[in-house]
Structure formats: C-alpha cells, structure tokens
Amino acid sequence: MSKRFEGKVVVVTGAAQGIGRGVALGAAAEGGKVVLVDRADFVTEVAAEGGASAAGFVADLETYEGAQAAMAFAAQTFGGIDILINGVGGAIRMRPFAEFEPQQIDAEIRRSLMPTLYACHAVLPHLLARGGGTIVNVSSNATRGIHRVPYSAAKGGVNALTQSLAMEYAQHHIRVAATAPGGTSAPPRRVPRNAAGDTEQEKAWMNEAVQQVTESTFFKRYGSLDEQIAPILFLASDEASYITGTVLPVAGGDLG
C-alpha cells in the first residue's frame, strides 16, 4: 500500500461520516497521523478505527473558537500540522429560493462556508510554522443547480477562498486546492443534515434536485464515496505538488 502521508500530520474536518470519514481513514492507512474533527461525538469511535496514529476531536466548526481549538489540539497531539482537509458542509434543505426563510439562508451559509473559512484561517499559523503545507477544501458542483441557492452560494465562496488563498500564500509554500463533488451515494447519515425532518413538499423538491443532478452528469448516475475520496487524497499528497488554486470537478462531467 502507498504511504503518501508518512511523516505528515493531517487534520480532516467533517470526519465522523461520509466522505470525510473515508478521507481520514484513508490518510491514516497511508501512514499519516490524523486528527478527525466533527461536532458529532462519535467521531472518536471513527478515530479508533484508524489505530494509534489517529485521534478524534469534538468541535463545532461553525464557530471560530471551535476551529482554533481543533488546530491547537492537532498541533499539541502530533507536534504540528502539515495538511488540512476541510470536509464540513452539506445542504440542510432543498426548496426553491423564494421558499427559504431568512434564518434558513443564514444556516446554510454557516454550515457550508464558515467552517472552511474559519479552519483555513486557524490553520495558517501552524502551516507557516512548518514552513509550508497543504489545504484541500471539499466544495461542490452545486454552484449550478436547483433548490439549494444558499448552499450553492456558500460553495461558490469556498471556490473563491480556494483560489485567493492559493495565490496569497504560494510564496509561503502553502498549496490550496479543492474538489467539487457531484451527487454521491453514501450510507444513511447517523446525524441528518435537517434535524427537523423534511415535509412531503420538501421531499418532492429533493426528488426534483436529485433528478437534475443525475441528468446533468454524462454518466447519468451518482458517484461513489471511493470516487470522491481518491481525488481528495491525491490533491492532499505530494503527488499534486504543482497543483494549487485549482477546483477539480468530480461530478461525472458536470462542471457545475
């Protein structure tokens, strides 16, 4: 097995389930010392699957204090940070934009933009102390899509953050890149994105969005978790040492 992350300290946010879980365990399997961060307390159970080289940390990354605490924990536990992979995000609701309430708009931005923005800021002192490093943001091809305009706007912000931060910090040997996943098949979430549950109307709007996402791909299907995890780990590794400022669509041909 490849050991692309041997000697590296990797922080993965949103690591309790889904893509983030797979990325974190993949980095640990490839030799990395990995800190799994999530606000779900079962992130520590997931970290145990990574063995002695993995540690879990519970934090709410929708607050700056949570992001700062997570980076401090990683640096204290493993002596520094080399790589940050930002996996927090996900649309809470699917509905036409006119049907969103103002507080729901705010919640989508807090969920899918602020954790990445905060974590990127909080990790920079640690990467600068290391003399360089890598940040990989998990964005989305949903910057073009239906029934999730606030989420789309948040992920457009992640794309802009990726490109601007890459340009600003290249002189410090810090790479910043992102993947833009399309629809992805995954096991049921242990913590639902919309804790209030979906109404029948919201379920209908969700089905319309799923149809749009599927039809927009060349392959007319959702991707798998493995098909999303592999590009993220590639961009985080030294194999991608000349790639920065790039947002890589991983969406079956749908560029978003």
Side-chain angles (χ1 to χ4, degrees):
M1 179 178 286
S2 171
K3 292 293 183 182
R4 291 180 293 182
F5 300 103
E6 194 163 22
K8 304 286 189 180
V9 178
V10 185
V11 178
V12 183
T13 72
Q17 52 193 343
I19 293 171
R21 176 184 181 278
V23 167
L25 295 179
E30 291 198 41
K33 295 178 180 177
V34 184
V35 174
L36 295 80
V37 184
D38 205 291
R39 66 182 175 188
D41 57 10
F42 57 84
V43 70
T44 55
E45 300 172 20
V46 179
E49 298 178 43
S53 63
F57 187 77
V58 178
D60 182 358
L61 298 179
E62 290 184 15
T63 70
Y64 186 78
E65 293 75 16
Q68 194 171 47
M71 302 310 151
F73 173 82
Q76 291 165 6
T77 302
F78 292 123
I81 302 172
D82 299 291
I83 300 166
L84 168 64
I85 300 172
N86 284 307
V88 174
I92 302 169
R93 291 175 175 84
M94 297 284 188
R95 52 175 56 189
F97 190 37
E99 301 294 331
F100 274 89
E101 299 171 10
Q103 63 269 29
Q104 294 171 344
I105 295 172
D106 292 346
E108 298 284 354
I109 301 300
R110 282 198 308 274
R111 171 73 60 84
S112 291
L113 173 59
M114 301 314 297
T116 297
L117 192 65
Y118 288 151
C120 283
H121 186 273
V123 82
L124 281 175
H126 301 282
L127 299 184
L128 291 169
R130 224 41 166 189
T134 300
I135 298 172
V136 179
N137 298 322
V138 181
S139 182
S140 174
N141 80 326
T143 49
R144 183 187 66 180
I146 66 170
H147 297 346
R148 47 188 168 166
V149 168
Y151 171 74
S152 300
K155 288 303 190 179
V158 171
N159 293 350
L161 165 65
T162 298
Q163 294 164 341
S164 294
L165 193 59
M167 178 175 283
E168 186 168 323
Y169 278 86
Q171 63 180 316
H172 298 289
H173 311 290
I174 295 173
R175 290 192 306 112
V176 188
T179 66
T184 304
S185 297
R189 294 175 58 89
R190 291 178 64 178
V191 178
R193 289 199 174 107
N194 180 6
D198 294 327
T199 65
E200 290 304 313
Q201 179 61 77
E202 286 175 320
K203 290 176 182 177
W205 287 327
M206 169 70 82
N207 289 336
E208 291 173 5
V210 168
Q211 182 177 359
Q212 177 261 299
V213 168
T214 304
E215 289 301 312
S216 294
T217 72
F218 295 174
F219 296 133
K220 309 304 179 191
R221 68 169 176 85
Y222 268 32
S224 69
L225 282 177
D226 286 344
E227 288 171 325
Q228 299 299 343
I229 292 164
I232 295 167
L233 290 175
F234 164 69
L235 287 175
S237 76
D238 288 342
E239 292 178 352
S241 59
Y242 200 54
I243 298 175
T244 195
T246 296
V247 179
L248 173 66
V250 188
D254 181 3
L255 300 182

